[in-house]
Amino acid sequence: MMKFLLYLFILSLFMFGPDNCSSKKTAFQTGALDSDYIATSQLSTSNSFAKSPVGNINLENFKAEKRTLVGVYFMPSWNLSADPNNDIDSFWSCLTGNENCGHTNNTAIWGPKGRIYNASYPYEGPFLERKPHSSLKGFYKRNDPEVAKKQLEYMKSYGIDFFAFNWFFGRHYYYHLNFAPQADTYYPAGWKTDPARDGRVEVPGIEQWNEQLTVLLSENEKLPEDKQMKWAINWVDDSEDRWRLWLDLGSPESLAAGRNYPGEIPDKQLFLKVHDKITQLWIDKYFGRKDYLKDETGRPIVYLYFPQDLESRAAFYGITMKELLDRSKNLAQKAGYKGIKFIAAAAGAMAQREKLYALPTKWVAVNAKEPWRGGSYTNKLLFQNYVPRLKGMGFEGMTAYLYHTFMERDNKSFGDMRSTYRSHWEKWSEMFKNDPNFEYQIPVAMGWDMRPMGGTWPQQTGFPSEPIKDNVHSTKSTFRDKLLEAQKFSEKYRASNGNTVMICCWNEYLEGNYIEPTEGHGFDYLEAIKEVFAKGN
């Protein structure tokens, strides 16, 4: 039995990498699945608190002196290798070459040959100017506590108030709590397990790619309280691969392969139980921390990236987004909180010519009796028609990860991007200016260049569809000017829009959107933040 369980555990290490954190401009919906692996350490919820001296920070703490709070998104990387002794980092492997790049070799998004390079679409790497600064040990290890501590110190000392960690959850993972390698995996207290199958959980699902979050939080709580960073969850539910794996639970193929047992069916009831499990994990593991970001009433704040993804998949079961968010809020209230404040990180196509890539509101299976065979996203709305629905869905605010377009305008330079952002700021600030119960948090981005992932946007032909958009590059000066504009918009609509500016991103290295110090730009972007948001500016 233990030999069989070990086999199951090894199978459970297989994982699916997240799509890039951006709107996926592709008509391809249900391609072949491309697998990688999940490390054993990522199945554990335990934290280790090794002792280390607190580094000296000579810069003042700006938080108490600023009128505007500054947040930044943090994107985790993961190990592409099946061998735990051979770490192939999903970031560094694409910056240093193409052979081991999990994105350019992903047949699900690029077609059967992966990204094809030729004279018309050449390989332009490696991208060594994106190598992290030497003070961060260059191409650092994800779980290096010294690097995590330095990242926290840099954020704090240069005027960033909190980070929103891109948080992923694999719904489909079953595990066995009485099997030692899986014993520490989070499972809500008192929930059902099967003692006849070594404590196999009744409700599946695990956190994914949380190595960096674990070490960041461990190092953060070692710091003096006034030096600690606040942080929040940015829940990302955007992987078609993981959705297909969820639908595959209980399929004849899955049962025959021994991945699942009879009765383990991805029906509406189990979908809701998994959603409750996600919320309970937040409550048990994160919301009670002193460093978790809360609003003025003490409610934990949760960002939700691309709400249309979760809405579409819930709609497959006839569940509305409001029902899901209300369930989460009710669970938090039962745990002693005043609820949860959900903020949508939303963006999308606005031009009629791009209706194919608009925001879907429903996923429909090709065959309702065999949904694991695939389906499509339907009932698509342009972004300007989707946004007015957010408040009724249970959100109390909106921001963005990144804006690529505004109406007919595309970002083909940083000047274009600044114009795009100004248009969004004005439109949404004006829309919500008389609503004190819904805030628009002004977003900012430092650029876009997706060439390490193959280019913008992947197509099944093996070529990017719009590589001309991979030239959105800023400098310290142009980024600073954009921050100043964002600050002015935030202050102008402060009464209704709150006081938060969200920056993308700390470390989206593969999308060319990173403010973490690097060999190429040094500390330019952090210095720009400090110059704009320090007292007196």
Side-chain angles (χ1 to χ4, degrees), residues 337-374:
Y337 299 96
K338 294 183 178 179
I340 300 173
K341 182 175 182 177
F342 283 102
I343 297 174
M350 300 179 75
Q352 285 294 333
R353 63 180 169 83
E354 293 194 315
K355 188 66 182 286
L356 176 64
Y357 311 113
L359 288 71
T361 59
K362 189 173 184 180
W363 187 87
V364 178
V366 173
N367 181 344
K369 294 182 178 179
E370 298 182 333
W372 59 88
R373 304 293 183 198

mmCIF file of all heavy atoms in Angstrom, residues 337-374:
data_model
loop_
_atom_site.group_PDB
_atom_site.id
_atom_site.type_symbol
_atom_site.label_atom_id
_atom_site.label_comp_id
_atom_site.label_asym_id
_atom_site.label_seq_id
_atom_site.Cartn_x
_atom_site.Cartn_y
_atom_site.Cartn_z
ATOM 1 N N TYR A 337 -13.938 38.044 11.982
ATOM 2 C CA TYR A 337 -13.633 39.250 11.210
ATOM 3 C C TYR A 337 -14.929 39.937 10.790
ATOM 4 O O TYR A 337 -16.008 39.361 10.890
ATOM 5 C CB TYR A 337 -12.795 38.902 9.978
ATOM 6 C CG TYR A 337 -11.463 38.286 10.310
ATOM 7 C CD1 TYR A 337 -11.289 36.901 10.322
ATOM 8 C CD2 TYR A 337 -10.361 39.074 10.634
ATOM 9 C CE1 TYR A 337 -10.076 36.319 10.643
ATOM 10 C CE2 TYR A 337 -9.139 38.512 10.956
ATOM 11 C CZ TYR A 337 -9.009 37.131 10.960
ATOM 12 O OH TYR A 337 -7.796 36.565 11.292
ATOM 13 N N LYS A 338 -14.800 41.143 10.288
ATOM 14 C CA LYS A 338 -15.985 41.868 9.828
ATOM 15 C C LYS A 338 -16.286 41.584 8.355
ATOM 16 O O LYS A 338 -17.117 42.260 7.751
ATOM 17 C CB LYS A 338 -15.800 43.370 10.043
ATOM 18 C CG LYS A 338 -15.732 43.757 11.517
ATOM 19 C CD LYS A 338 -15.611 45.257 11.696
ATOM 20 C CE LYS A 338 -15.585 45.626 13.174
ATOM 21 N NZ LYS A 338 -15.451 47.086 13.393
ATOM 22 N N GLY A 339 -15.632 40.587 7.835
ATOM 23 C CA GLY A 339 -15.812 40.212 6.440
ATOM 24 C C GLY A 339 -14.485 40.264 5.711
ATOM 25 O O GLY A 339 -13.413 40.195 6.303
ATOM 26 N N ILE A 340 -14.539 40.379 4.392
ATOM 27 C CA ILE A 340 -13.365 40.504 3.535
ATOM 28 C C ILE A 340 -13.651 41.616 2.530
ATOM 29 O O ILE A 340 -14.750 41.703 1.985
ATOM 30 C CB ILE A 340 -13.070 39.196 2.769
ATOM 31 C CG1 ILE A 340 -12.821 38.038 3.735
ATOM 32 C CG2 ILE A 340 -11.872 39.375 1.835
ATOM 33 C CD1 ILE A 340 -12.698 36.687 3.054
ATOM 34 N N LYS A 341 -12.662 42.450 2.284
ATOM 35 C CA LYS A 341 -12.796 43.476 1.253
ATOM 36 C C LYS A 341 -12.132 42.964 -0.016
ATOM 37 O O LYS A 341 -10.912 42.801 -0.074
ATOM 38 C CB LYS A 341 -12.147 44.792 1.696
ATOM 39 C CG LYS A 341 -12.312 45.915 0.674
ATOM 40 C CD LYS A 341 -11.776 47.233 1.202
ATOM 41 C CE LYS A 341 -11.993 48.357 0.205
ATOM 42 N NZ LYS A 341 -11.543 49.667 0.742
ATOM 43 N N PHE A 342 -12.944 42.668 -1.033
ATOM 44 C CA PHE A 342 -12.433 42.164 -2.299
ATOM 45 C C PHE A 342 -12.256 43.316 -3.284
ATOM 46 O O PHE A 342 -13.158 44.139 -3.473
ATOM 47 C CB PHE A 342 -13.396 41.138 -2.896
ATOM 48 C CG PHE A 342 -13.335 39.783 -2.248
ATOM 49 C CD1 PHE A 342 -14.310 39.394 -1.336
ATOM 50 C CD2 PHE A 342 -12.309 38.896 -2.556
ATOM 51 C CE1 PHE A 342 -14.274 38.145 -0.730
ATOM 52 C CE2 PHE A 342 -12.262 37.638 -1.953
ATOM 53 C CZ PHE A 342 -13.241 37.264 -1.040
ATOM 54 N N ILE A 343 -11.084 43.348 -3.922
ATOM 55 C CA ILE A 343 -10.781 44.348 -4.940
ATOM 56 C C ILE A 343 -10.419 43.622 -6.228
ATOM 57 O O ILE A 343 -9.537 42.754 -6.241
ATOM 58 C CB ILE A 343 -9.626 45.263 -4.496
ATOM 59 C CG1 ILE A 343 -10.039 46.037 -3.243
ATOM 60 C CG2 ILE A 343 -9.230 46.224 -5.616
ATOM 61 C CD1 ILE A 343 -8.931 46.859 -2.635
ATOM 62 N N ALA A 344 -11.104 43.963 -7.302
ATOM 63 C CA ALA A 344 -10.863 43.322 -8.592
ATOM 64 C C ALA A 344 -9.658 43.944 -9.278
ATOM 65 O O ALA A 344 -9.578 45.162 -9.410
ATOM 66 C CB ALA A 344 -12.093 43.456 -9.482
ATOM 67 N N ALA A 345 -8.719 43.106 -9.702
ATOM 68 C CA ALA A 345 -7.614 43.550 -10.554
ATOM 69 C C ALA A 345 -8.017 43.193 -11.979
ATOM 70 O O ALA A 345 -7.824 42.063 -12.431
ATOM 71 C CB ALA A 345 -6.311 42.866 -10.158
ATOM 72 N N ALA A 346 -8.631 44.150 -12.657
ATOM 73 C CA ALA A 346 -9.320 43.851 -13.910
ATOM 74 C C ALA A 346 -8.828 44.722 -15.054
ATOM 75 O O ALA A 346 -8.455 45.885 -14.863
ATOM 76 C CB ALA A 346 -10.826 44.047 -13.729
ATOM 77 N N ALA A 347 -8.841 44.160 -16.249
ATOM 78 C CA ALA A 347 -8.505 44.876 -17.474
ATOM 79 C C ALA A 347 -9.023 44.034 -18.634
ATOM 80 O O ALA A 347 -9.408 42.882 -18.454
ATOM 81 C CB ALA A 347 -7.006 45.109 -17.596
ATOM 82 N N GLY A 348 -9.006 44.607 -19.826
ATOM 83 C CA GLY A 348 -9.455 43.834 -20.970
ATOM 84 C C GLY A 348 -9.709 44.677 -22.197
ATOM 85 O O GLY A 348 -9.593 45.904 -22.169
ATOM 86 N N ALA A 349 -10.071 44.009 -23.280
ATOM 87 C CA ALA A 349 -10.307 44.664 -24.565
ATOM 88 C C ALA A 349 -11.501 45.610 -24.486
ATOM 89 O O ALA A 349 -12.501 45.325 -23.837
ATOM 90 C CB ALA A 349 -10.541 43.613 -25.644
ATOM 91 N N MET A 350 -11.380 46.739 -25.190
ATOM 92 C CA MET A 350 -12.442 47.736 -25.205
ATOM 93 C C MET A 350 -12.939 48.041 -26.623
ATOM 94 O O MET A 350 -13.983 48.682 -26.790
ATOM 95 C CB MET A 350 -11.957 49.032 -24.549
ATOM 96 C CG MET A 350 -11.525 48.859 -23.109
ATOM 97 S SD MET A 350 -10.921 50.392 -22.360
ATOM 98 C CE MET A 350 -12.461 51.272 -22.082
ATOM 99 N N ALA A 351 -12.194 47.628 -27.643
ATOM 100 C CA ALA A 351 -12.555 47.918 -29.029
ATOM 101 C C ALA A 351 -13.372 46.780 -29.628
ATOM 102 O O ALA A 351 -13.113 45.603 -29.357
ATOM 103 C CB ALA A 351 -11.294 48.144 -29.856
ATOM 104 N N GLN A 352 -14.343 47.128 -30.458
ATOM 105 C CA GLN A 352 -15.185 46.113 -31.088
ATOM 106 C C GLN A 352 -14.363 45.130 -31.901
ATOM 107 O O GLN A 352 -14.696 43.943 -31.967
ATOM 108 C CB GLN A 352 -16.237 46.792 -31.976
ATOM 109 C CG GLN A 352 -17.385 47.439 -31.212
ATOM 110 C CD GLN A 352 -18.255 46.420 -30.481
ATOM 111 O OE1 GLN A 352 -18.360 45.254 -30.891
ATOM 112 N NE2 GLN A 352 -18.870 46.852 -29.389
ATOM 113 N N ARG A 353 -13.279 45.591 -32.502
ATOM 114 C CA ARG A 353 -12.439 44.705 -33.316
ATOM 115 C C ARG A 353 -11.787 43.608 -32.477
ATOM 116 O O ARG A 353 -11.289 42.611 -33.024
ATOM 117 C CB ARG A 353 -11.378 45.517 -34.047
ATOM 118 C CG ARG A 353 -10.385 46.225 -33.126
ATOM 119 C CD ARG A 353 -9.349 47.015 -33.926
ATOM 120 N NE ARG A 353 -8.549 47.890 -33.067
ATOM 121 C CZ ARG A 353 -7.490 47.514 -32.374
ATOM 122 N NH1 ARG A 353 -7.111 46.254 -32.419
ATOM 123 N NH2 ARG A 353 -6.825 48.393 -31.629
ATOM 124 N N GLU A 354 -11.775 43.804 -31.147
ATOM 125 C CA GLU A 354 -11.166 42.817 -30.263
ATOM 126 C C GLU A 354 -12.204 42.075 -29.430
ATOM 127 O O GLU A 354 -11.879 41.498 -28.398
ATOM 128 C CB GLU A 354 -10.149 43.499 -29.336
ATOM 129 C CG GLU A 354 -8.941 44.044 -30.063
ATOM 130 C CD GLU A 354 -7.804 44.399 -29.129
ATOM 131 O OE1 GLU A 354 -8.068 45.028 -28.084
ATOM 132 O OE2 GLU A 354 -6.663 44.027 -29.435
ATOM 133 N N LYS A 355 -13.434 42.053 -29.880
ATOM 134 C CA LYS A 355 -14.507 41.400 -29.109
ATOM 135 C C LYS A 355 -14.182 39.923 -28.845
ATOM 136 O O LYS A 355 -14.567 39.369 -27.817
ATOM 137 C CB LYS A 355 -15.836 41.526 -29.863
ATOM 138 C CG LYS A 355 -17.064 41.059 -29.083
ATOM 139 C CD LYS A 355 -17.331 41.947 -27.886
ATOM 140 C CE LYS A 355 -18.531 41.454 -27.071
ATOM 141 N NZ LYS A 355 -19.817 41.718 -27.734
ATOM 142 N N LEU A 356 -13.453 39.310 -29.776
ATOM 143 C CA LEU A 356 -13.071 37.907 -29.591
ATOM 144 C C LEU A 356 -12.261 37.718 -28.309
ATOM 145 O O LEU A 356 -12.297 36.666 -27.673
ATOM 146 C CB LEU A 356 -12.254 37.429 -30.798
ATOM 147 C CG LEU A 356 -11.689 35.992 -30.740
ATOM 148 C CD1 LEU A 356 -12.828 34.975 -30.701
ATOM 149 C CD2 LEU A 356 -10.783 35.740 -31.952
ATOM 150 N N TYR A 357 -11.520 38.776 -27.914
ATOM 151 C CA TYR A 357 -10.654 38.684 -26.743
ATOM 152 C C TYR A 357 -11.243 39.409 -25.537
ATOM 153 O O TYR A 357 -10.538 39.694 -24.572
ATOM 154 C CB TYR A 357 -9.291 39.285 -27.074
ATOM 155 C CG TYR A 357 -8.707 38.764 -28.362
ATOM 156 C CD1 TYR A 357 -8.558 39.605 -29.463
ATOM 157 C CD2 TYR A 357 -8.339 37.431 -28.499
ATOM 158 C CE1 TYR A 357 -8.034 39.124 -30.663
ATOM 159 C CE2 TYR A 357 -7.822 36.940 -29.684
ATOM 160 C CZ TYR A 357 -7.671 37.797 -30.766
ATOM 161 O OH TYR A 357 -7.163 37.317 -31.938
ATOM 162 N N ALA A 358 -12.527 39.687 -25.584
ATOM 163 C CA ALA A 358 -13.184 40.404 -24.490
ATOM 164 C C ALA A 358 -13.340 39.497 -23.273
ATOM 165 O O ALA A 358 -12.973 38.316 -23.289
ATOM 166 C CB ALA A 358 -14.528 40.940 -24.950
ATOM 167 N N LEU A 359 -13.913 40.044 -22.205
ATOM 168 C CA LEU A 359 -13.999 39.331 -20.934
ATOM 169 C C LEU A 359 -15.188 38.378 -20.933
ATOM 170 O O LEU A 359 -16.343 38.808 -21.029
ATOM 171 C CB LEU A 359 -14.131 40.326 -19.779
ATOM 172 C CG LEU A 359 -12.884 41.136 -19.414
ATOM 173 C CD1 LEU A 359 -12.570 42.176 -20.486
ATOM 174 C CD2 LEU A 359 -13.065 41.824 -18.075
ATOM 175 N N PRO A 360 -14.942 37.070 -20.804
ATOM 176 C CA PRO A 360 -16.044 36.105 -20.792
ATOM 177 C C PRO A 360 -16.753 36.078 -19.447
ATOM 178 O O PRO A 360 -16.185 36.458 -18.420
ATOM 179 C CB PRO A 360 -15.345 34.775 -21.059
ATOM 180 C CG PRO A 360 -13.989 34.960 -20.453
ATOM 181 C CD PRO A 360 -13.638 36.412 -20.691
ATOM 182 N N THR A 361 -17.971 35.617 -19.445
ATOM 183 C CA THR A 361 -18.731 35.476 -18.200
ATOM 184 C C THR A 361 -19.230 34.046 -17.985
ATOM 185 O O THR A 361 -19.875 33.773 -16.978
ATOM 186 C CB THR A 361 -19.936 36.434 -18.195
ATOM 187 O OG1 THR A 361 -20.786 36.149 -19.317
ATOM 188 C CG2 THR A 361 -19.483 37.888 -18.281
ATOM 189 N N LYS A 362 -18.902 33.156 -18.930
ATOM 190 C CA LYS A 362 -19.362 31.770 -18.774
ATOM 191 C C LYS A 362 -18.450 30.829 -19.555
ATOM 192 O O LYS A 362 -17.983 31.162 -20.647
ATOM 193 C CB LYS A 362 -20.803 31.613 -19.262
ATOM 194 C CG LYS A 362 -21.418 30.257 -18.943
ATOM 195 C CD LYS A 362 -22.904 30.214 -19.294
ATOM 196 C CE LYS A 362 -23.523 28.888 -18.886
ATOM 197 N NZ LYS A 362 -24.979 28.832 -19.213
ATOM 198 N N TRP A 363 -18.194 29.654 -18.950
ATOM 199 C CA TRP A 363 -17.488 28.577 -19.640
ATOM 200 C C TRP A 363 -18.505 27.507 -19.995
ATOM 201 O O TRP A 363 -19.292 27.078 -19.141
ATOM 202 C CB TRP A 363 -16.396 27.992 -18.740
ATOM 203 C CG TRP A 363 -15.507 26.995 -19.444
ATOM 204 C CD1 TRP A 363 -14.384 27.264 -20.155
ATOM 205 C CD2 TRP A 363 -15.671 25.570 -19.496
ATOM 206 N NE1 TRP A 363 -13.829 26.112 -20.651
ATOM 207 C CE2 TRP A 363 -14.611 25.053 -20.261
ATOM 208 C CE3 TRP A 363 -16.624 24.686 -18.977
ATOM 209 C CZ2 TRP A 363 -14.460 23.693 -20.517
ATOM 210 C CZ3 TRP A 363 -16.482 23.336 -19.231
ATOM 211 C CH2 TRP A 363 -15.405 22.841 -19.983
ATOM 212 N N VAL A 364 -18.490 27.068 -21.247
ATOM 213 C CA VAL A 364 -19.465 26.079 -21.732
ATOM 214 C C VAL A 364 -18.718 24.879 -22.279
ATOM 215 O O VAL A 364 -17.818 25.016 -23.125
ATOM 216 C CB VAL A 364 -20.361 26.681 -22.834
ATOM 217 C CG1 VAL A 364 -21.342 25.623 -23.352
ATOM 218 C CG2 VAL A 364 -21.117 27.893 -22.304
ATOM 219 N N ALA A 365 -19.077 23.692 -21.795
ATOM 220 C CA ALA A 365 -18.433 22.463 -22.263
ATOM 221 C C ALA A 365 -18.939 22.097 -23.648
ATOM 222 O O ALA A 365 -20.112 22.315 -23.974
ATOM 223 C CB ALA A 365 -18.714 21.323 -21.288
ATOM 224 N N VAL A 366 -18.077 21.523 -24.461
ATOM 225 C CA VAL A 366 -18.497 21.026 -25.772
ATOM 226 C C VAL A 366 -19.514 19.907 -25.583
ATOM 227 O O VAL A 366 -20.522 19.836 -26.284
ATOM 228 C CB VAL A 366 -17.271 20.519 -26.568
ATOM 229 C CG1 VAL A 366 -17.719 19.843 -27.859
ATOM 230 C CG2 VAL A 366 -16.323 21.675 -26.865
ATOM 231 N N ASN A 367 -19.242 19.058 -24.595
ATOM 232 C CA ASN A 367 -20.164 17.976 -24.249
ATOM 233 C C ASN A 367 -20.395 18.052 -22.739
ATOM 234 O O ASN A 367 -19.483 17.791 -21.960
ATOM 235 C CB ASN A 367 -19.570 16.619 -24.637
ATOM 236 C CG ASN A 367 -20.503 15.454 -24.332
ATOM 237 O OD1 ASN A 367 -21.462 15.579 -23.571
ATOM 238 N ND2 ASN A 367 -20.222 14.301 -24.929
ATOM 239 N N ALA A 368 -21.599 18.431 -22.335
ATOM 240 C CA ALA A 368 -21.889 18.635 -20.914
ATOM 241 C C ALA A 368 -21.656 17.369 -20.092
ATOM 242 O O ALA A 368 -21.384 17.459 -18.888
ATOM 243 C CB ALA A 368 -23.331 19.104 -20.753
ATOM 244 N N LYS A 369 -21.757 16.188 -20.722
ATOM 245 C CA LYS A 369 -21.550 14.938 -20.005
ATOM 246 C C LYS A 369 -20.072 14.586 -19.880
ATOM 247 O O LYS A 369 -19.702 13.739 -19.069
ATOM 248 C CB LYS A 369 -22.292 13.802 -20.718
ATOM 249 C CG LYS A 369 -23.811 13.964 -20.692
ATOM 250 C CD LYS A 369 -24.494 12.782 -21.359
ATOM 251 C CE LYS A 369 -26.012 12.928 -21.292
ATOM 252 N NZ LYS A 369 -26.699 11.791 -21.962
ATOM 253 N N GLU A 370 -19.239 15.223 -20.675
ATOM 254 C CA GLU A 370 -17.802 14.976 -20.626
ATOM 255 C C GLU A 370 -17.054 16.311 -20.672
ATOM 256 O O GLU A 370 -16.303 16.590 -21.616
ATOM 257 C CB GLU A 370 -17.365 14.082 -21.787
ATOM 258 C CG GLU A 370 -17.988 12.692 -21.778
ATOM 259 C CD GLU A 370 -17.487 11.834 -22.930
ATOM 260 O OE1 GLU A 370 -17.105 12.396 -23.988
ATOM 261 O OE2 GLU A 370 -17.453 10.602 -22.782
ATOM 262 N N PRO A 371 -17.210 17.137 -19.662
ATOM 263 C CA PRO A 371 -16.603 18.473 -19.704
ATOM 264 C C PRO A 371 -15.085 18.458 -19.758
ATOM 265 O O PRO A 371 -14.474 19.430 -20.212
ATOM 266 C CB PRO A 371 -17.103 19.125 -18.412
ATOM 267 C CG PRO A 371 -17.465 17.989 -17.511
ATOM 268 C CD PRO A 371 -17.966 16.912 -18.415
ATOM 269 N N TRP A 372 -14.468 17.357 -19.310
ATOM 270 C CA TRP A 372 -13.014 17.275 -19.339
ATOM 271 C C TRP A 372 -12.477 17.246 -20.779
ATOM 272 O O TRP A 372 -11.290 17.449 -20.998
ATOM 273 C CB TRP A 372 -12.537 16.038 -18.581
ATOM 274 C CG TRP A 372 -13.078 14.745 -19.116
ATOM 275 C CD1 TRP A 372 -12.544 13.973 -20.107
ATOM 276 C CD2 TRP A 372 -14.264 14.066 -18.679
ATOM 277 N NE1 TRP A 372 -13.325 12.856 -20.328
ATOM 278 C CE2 TRP A 372 -14.386 12.895 -19.457
ATOM 279 C CE3 TRP A 372 -15.222 14.332 -17.705
ATOM 280 C CZ2 TRP A 372 -15.434 11.998 -19.297
ATOM 281 C CZ3 TRP A 372 -16.264 13.432 -17.531
ATOM 282 C CH2 TRP A 372 -16.372 12.285 -18.320
ATOM 283 N N ARG A 373 -13.359 17.037 -21.769
ATOM 284 C CA ARG A 373 -12.932 17.047 -23.165
ATOM 285 C C ARG A 373 -12.674 18.468 -23.672
ATOM 286 O O ARG A 373 -12.078 18.649 -24.720
ATOM 287 C CB ARG A 373 -13.991 16.391 -24.054
ATOM 288 C CG ARG A 373 -14.366 14.977 -23.667
ATOM 289 C CD ARG A 373 -13.242 14.011 -23.877
ATOM 290 N NE ARG A 373 -13.652 12.641 -23.565
ATOM 291 C CZ ARG A 373 -12.822 11.640 -23.335
ATOM 292 N NH1 ARG A 373 -11.510 11.862 -23.380
ATOM 293 N NH2 ARG A 373 -13.267 10.438 -23.053
ATOM 294 N N GLY A 374 -13.154 19.463 -22.915
ATOM 295 C CA GLY A 374 -12.894 20.832 -23.327
ATOM 296 C C GLY A 374 -14.159 21.649 -23.526
ATOM 297 O O GLY A 374 -15.282 21.141 -23.454
#
